[in-house]
Amino acid sequence: MGQITTIALDVMSGDCGPRSRICAAQDALTRHPHLHLVLVGDSRFIREHLSREVSDRVTVVHAAQTVSMDERPSRALRSKQDSSMWLAVEQVAMGMSQACVSAGNTGALMAMGRHLLKTFPGIDRPALVGQVPTSAGGTLLLDLGANVDCSADLLFQFAVLGSLLKSEVYDVVNPSVGLLNVGEEDIKGSETVRLAQQLIESHESLNYAGFIEGDDLYSGRVDVVVCDGFAGNVALKASEAAVRMVAHKLAAGVGLNSWQKVLLKLLKPLFKPMAASIDPGRYNGAMLLGLQGIVVKSHGAADARQFGFAIDQAVRAVEHNAVHRINERLEELL
Amino acid sequence: MGQITTIALDVMSGDCGPRSRICAAQDALTRHPHLHLVLVGDSRFIREHLSREVSDRVTVVHAAQTVSMDERPSRALRSKQDSSMWLAVEQVAMGMSQACVSAGNTGALMAMGRHLLKTFPGIDRPALVGQVPTSAGGTLLLDLGANVDCSADLLFQFAVLGSLLKSEVYDVVNPSVGLLNVGEEDIKGSETVRLAQQLIESHESLNYAGFIEGDDLYSGRVDVVVCDGFAGNVALKASEAAVRMVAHKLAAGVGLNSWQKVLLKLLKPLFKPMAASIDPGRYNGAMLLGLQGIVVKSHGAADARQFGFAIDQAVRAVEHNAVHRINERLEELL
């Protein structure tokens, strides 16, 4: 490749503090030899904590403000134009960076993304999309919470966007799309979901696979699952929590007698690679899909390693030229 | 105790066939010495497969029809009055049984429950409620899919019903109630959820704990979680699926090298009790709460052991005199 990928990181937003984001940035530079990073935040703090070795691969942009996690998006849009979040997104809008990553307030990121980057023609609102693990590799799930209420038309747009992302960035030919519902029968679900099914079904370029239930989110039965942001957010967070609870129970040896517990403790280091394979943090990073620019949202509580996975997603999207390719295909489709 | 508990089982509905339900019935009679069962279905088949030893603790009621899993509830209500589901619910309505259990079509069960048993005064529609496991014992989650769209007022009624069930049947004093949302801040979520919060908050007898997110479903932070049936159904099914995927990965030793895998295989029998402790099937059985009678819905695909857990829930509700106690408390509250 040889081409430099430039990504802006909002190092101030989220629950973990800028030091953790700077660590993640340094690790990402090691992983990706053609990466250049723009670190947006308190420039003095960043310069103090940045290792000298990477300083020629980093640009620092000073931001005087931070968007808080509970700030109203409309307010942030008006009064936080000097924030690390705004300036990181603006990097992409000005063409200085090819993507940005923030662990901040989702609503504010969405508002700034829409304001500074605009959506693709034909797309009303961007969707927050993430990949969930399946035995078959992974399923894209959208929306994950950026759009609490979705019209049938918006769900249809998400189906198109998800399908394009899966084919253009994840290299799946003719990806299958399922619509999340409380049953697989056509009579089930809300009016909106049934109407969305009609729209998706009748669009010949989509490989529609019908209604799917929560059971099938991790089965790999479909490549893309579409739902409103309330259901998607709840499904994702609940399943991550369930997995964490199970991991905790297993680590504690719930159900075992005392000597089995001792044995488990002794053997734990041996089976450590398994724990990593089921860690939900590995799938951190959701893209605001539908914007004319790449914006990746990290979990607010993500640690340095997890924030790194979000950076990796941004790198992947840039390397696949996601925005250009999705835009081109959208023009054909809509 | 000494008192006989009589429970009607719809042995025909669901995906597993009547033989599995009859097995579950026999096991339940062994577990509960004061239980009498009314088996509703194809009487010839039931008599052929029922063991002689339990025949004096079983009444067989013949049903000529079965409600299929994809039948429209309104149609089932009109044309399936000779079905195993209808007759099982009717057992409760006539006072012949104190509860009924069915693994059939949720919508049809809901329709028949409402028609034959009626809801409590002040309750518009019953909620499907189940217990999810937490480190602290368990959290009640409602609605699980019987009510796809819920008004704020209905969510408020569910908060009251869930709180009463938790205190009267699960013996939790002043149970805390959370409202499921996509964020914990008051500005988050749909109009309906925010309006429901106002109603729940202003009712002094409810111990309202605020918005909770999917993350907190398994943390035990609250005793009762209220949401619409779409979100609840998706959250429950997705998390069960995620846990099954993890269990599958662990059993296969994903991430391990070959000799670690061999070791894992050798040790598996030793750690079997752990697998049981994380099996979602242990929590099978959801109650249609709000009806003037106990109706328990089992997962359609539940096997004999899992169907048994649903029967146990019905037994528990009867032994706690759930309907009478909730009705009495409701009269004070609403």
Side-chain angles (χ1 to χ4, degrees):
Chain A
M1 313 280 276
Q3 226 171 339
I4 297 293
T5 297
T6 305
I7 293 177
L9 305 185
D10 164 8
V11 302
M12 308 307 284
S13 300
D15 312 316
C16 278
R19 190 179 289 201
S20 156
R21 307 294 173 231
I22 295 168
C23 279
Q26 293 180 167
D27 292 345
L29 290 169
T30 314
R31 277 197 307 281
H32 304 283
H34 300 290
L35 182 61
H36 185 92
L37 289 176
V38 180
L39 303 190
V40 189
D42 179 335
S43 59
R44 211 169 122 180
F45 184 93
I46 296 171
R47 289 218 175 81
E48 261 173 33
H49 291 83
L50 194 67
S51 123
R52 289 248 170 109
E53 294 159 40
V54 297
S55 59
D56 59 327
R57 294 175 61 199
V58 168
T59 305
V60 178
V61 169
H62 182 70
Q65 296 175 306
T66 305
V67 176
S68 69
M69 292 307 261
D70 57 355
E71 198 154 339
R72 257 175 214 280
S74 54
R75 210 186 114 84
L77 197 60
R78 274 197 317 274
S79 65
K80 289 291 175 73
Q81 306 198 352
D82 260 332
S83 64
S84 53
M85 187 186 280
W86 178 285
L87 296 175
V89 178
E90 201 181 47
Q91 278 282 316
V92 183
M94 296 190 307
M96 311 286 279
S97 296
Q98 292 147 285
C100 68
V101 182
S102 173
N105 181 325
T106 309
L109 189 61
M110 168 96 161
M112 291 177 183
R114 290 179 71 189
H115 180 79
L116 292 168
L117 296 169
K118 311 295 179 217
T119 52
F120 291 122
I123 300 299
D124 295 327
R125 292 171 62 86
L128 200 61
V129 59
Q131 174 107 323
V132 299
T134 66
S135 46
T139 290
L140 287 183
L141 177 62
L142 70 168
D143 180 85
L144 292 176
N147 303 279
V148 169
D149 293 309
C150 292
S151 65
D153 206 50
L154 196 59
L155 290 174
F156 163 72
Q157 293 170 21
F158 292 173
V160 173
L161 285 170
S163 174
L164 290 181
L165 183 68
K166 194 75 184 181
S167 64
E168 300 305 316
V169 173
Y170 292 87
D171 307 317
V172 172
V173 180
N174 197 23
S176 56
V177 178
L179 196 54
L180 194 63
N181 202 349
V182 295
E184 290 179 19
E185 303 82 13
D186 285 351
I187 56 161
K188 292 278 175 73
S190 66
E191 194 66 38
T192 308
V193 169
R194 289 201 301 266
L195 199 57
Q197 164 157 282
Q198 286 175 20
L199 293 173
I200 297 171
E201 227 169 16
S202 62
H203 200 278
E204 52 191 16
S205 76
L206 289 172
N207 177 11
Y208 181 59
F211 288 142
I212 70 142
E213 295 186 67
D215 308 63
D216 264 325
L217 219 48
Y218 297 89
S219 70
R221 204 183 114 192
V222 294
D223 298 308
V224 179
V225 173
V226 174
C227 60
D228 69 53
F230 197 98
N233 186 279
V234 161
L236 188 70
K237 286 187 176 161
S239 32
E240 286 182 2
V243 169
R244 274 195 301 272
M245 184 198 59
V246 163
H248 183 81
K249 274 190 175 180
L250 293 178
V254 171
L256 300 183
N257 63 32
S258 346
W259 74 266
Q260 284 169 326
K261 276 188 192 174
V262 171
L263 190 64
L264 180 72
K265 207 166 177 180
L266 288 172
L267 292 168
K268 210 174 276 176
L270 214 58
F271 297 123
K272 213 176 167 186
M274 284 207 297
S277 83
I278 63 166
D279 170 24
R282 283 180 73 197
Y283 297 88
N284 183 43
M287 207 171 137
L288 271 178
L289 183 64
L291 292 174
Q292 300 190 39
I294 298 164
V295 178
V296 172
K297 159 84 176 93
S298 157
H299 199 292
D303 61 20
R305 196 181 59 92
Q306 292 162 351
F307 193 72
F309 293 125
I311 300 174
D312 291 351
Q313 293 219 24
V315 171
R316 185 191 179 101
V318 173
E319 285 179 354
H320 279 75
N321 200 6
V323 170
H324 178 73
R325 286 168 73 179
I326 291 176
N327 195 14
E328 255 186 357
R329 293 281 315 275
L330 263 181
E331 278 176 13
E332 294 165 30
L333 292 183
L334 291 185
Chain B
M1 313 278 279
Q3 225 171 339
I4 297 294
T5 296
T6 304
I7 292 177
L9 305 184
D10 164 9
V11 302
M12 308 307 283
S13 300
D15 311 317
C16 279
R19 190 180 289 202
S20 156
R21 307 294 173 232
I22 296 168
C23 279
Q26 292 179 168
D27 292 344
L29 290 169
T30 313
R31 276 196 307 282
H32 303 284
H34 301 291
L35 182 62
H36 184 93
L37 290 176
V38 181
L39 303 189
V40 189
D42 179 335
S43 59
R44 209 169 120 181
F45 184 93
I46 295 171
R47 290 218 175 80
E48 261 174 32
H49 291 84
L50 195 67
S51 120
R52 289 248 168 110
E53 294 159 39
V54 297
S55 59
D56 59 328
R57 295 175 60 199
V58 169
T59 306
V60 177
V61 169
H62 182 70
Q65 296 175 307
T66 305
V67 176
S68 69
M69 292 306 261
D70 57 356
E71 197 155 341
R72 256 175 215 281
S74 54
R75 210 187 113 85
L77 198 60
R78 275 197 316 275
S79 65
K80 289 291 173 73
Q81 307 198 351
D82 259 331
S83 64
S84 53
M85 186 186 282
W86 178 286
L87 297 174
V89 177
E90 201 180 48
Q91 278 281 316
V92 182
M94 296 189 308
M96 311 286 280
S97 296
Q98 292 147 286
C100 68
V101 182
S102 172
N105 181 327
T106 309
L109 188 61
M110 167 96 162
M112 290 176 184
R114 291 179 70 189
H115 179 80
L116 292 168
L117 296 169
K118 312 294 180 216
T119 52
F120 291 123
I123 300 298
D124 295 328
R125 294 171 61 87
L128 201 61
V129 58
Q131 175 108 321
V132 299
T134 67
S135 46
T139 290
L140 287 183
L141 178 62
L142 71 168
D143 179 86
L144 292 176
N147 303 279
V148 169
D149 292 309
C150 292
S151 66
D153 206 50
L154 196 59
L155 290 174
F156 163 72
Q157 292 171 23
F158 292 173
V160 173
L161 285 170
S163 175
L164 290 181
L165 184 68
K166 194 75 185 180
S167 64
E168 300 306 314
V169 173
Y170 292 87
D171 306 319
V172 172
V173 180
N174 197 22
S176 56
V177 179
L179 196 54
L180 194 63
N181 201 349
V182 296
E184 290 180 19
E185 302 82 14
D186 285 351
I187 57 161
K188 292 280 175 72
S190 66
E191 195 66 37
T192 308
V193 169
R194 289 201 301 267
L195 199 58
Q197 164 156 282
Q198 286 176 19
L199 294 173
I200 298 171
E201 227 168 15
S202 61
H203 201 278
E204 53 192 15
S205 75
L206 288 172
N207 177 11
Y208 181 59
F211 287 142
I212 71 142
E213 296 186 66
D215 308 65
D216 264 325
L217 219 49
Y218 297 89
S219 70
R221 205 183 114 191
V222 294
D223 298 309
V224 179
V225 174
V226 173
C227 61
D228 70 53
F230 198 97
N233 185 280
V234 161
L236 188 70
K237 285 187 176 161
S239 35
E240 287 182 0
V243 169
R244 273 195 300 271
M245 185 197 58
V246 163
H248 183 80
K249 275 191 174 181
L250 292 178
V254 172
L256 299 183
N257 62 33
S258 346
W259 74 267
Q260 285 170 325
K261 276 189 193 175
V262 171
L263 190 64
L264 180 72
K265 207 167 178 180
L266 288 172
L267 291 169
K268 209 173 278 176
L270 215 57
F271 297 124
K272 214 177 168 187
M274 284 207 297
S277 83
I278 63 166
D279 169 23
R282 284 180 72 197
Y283 298 88
N284 183 42
M287 207 170 137
L288 271 178
L289 183 63
L291 292 174
Q292 300 190 39
I294 298 165
V295 177
V296 173
K297 159 83 175 91
S298 158
H299 198 293
D303 62 19
R305 195 181 60 93
Q306 292 162 352
F307 193 73
F309 293 125
I311 300 174
D312 291 351
Q313 294 220 23
V315 171
R316 184 190 180 101
V318 173
E319 285 179 354
H320 279 75
N321 200 5
V323 170
H324 178 73
R325 287 168 71 179
I326 291 176
N327 195 14
E328 255 187 357
R329 293 281 314 276
L330 263 181
E331 277 175 13
E332 295 164 31
L333 292 184
L334 291 184

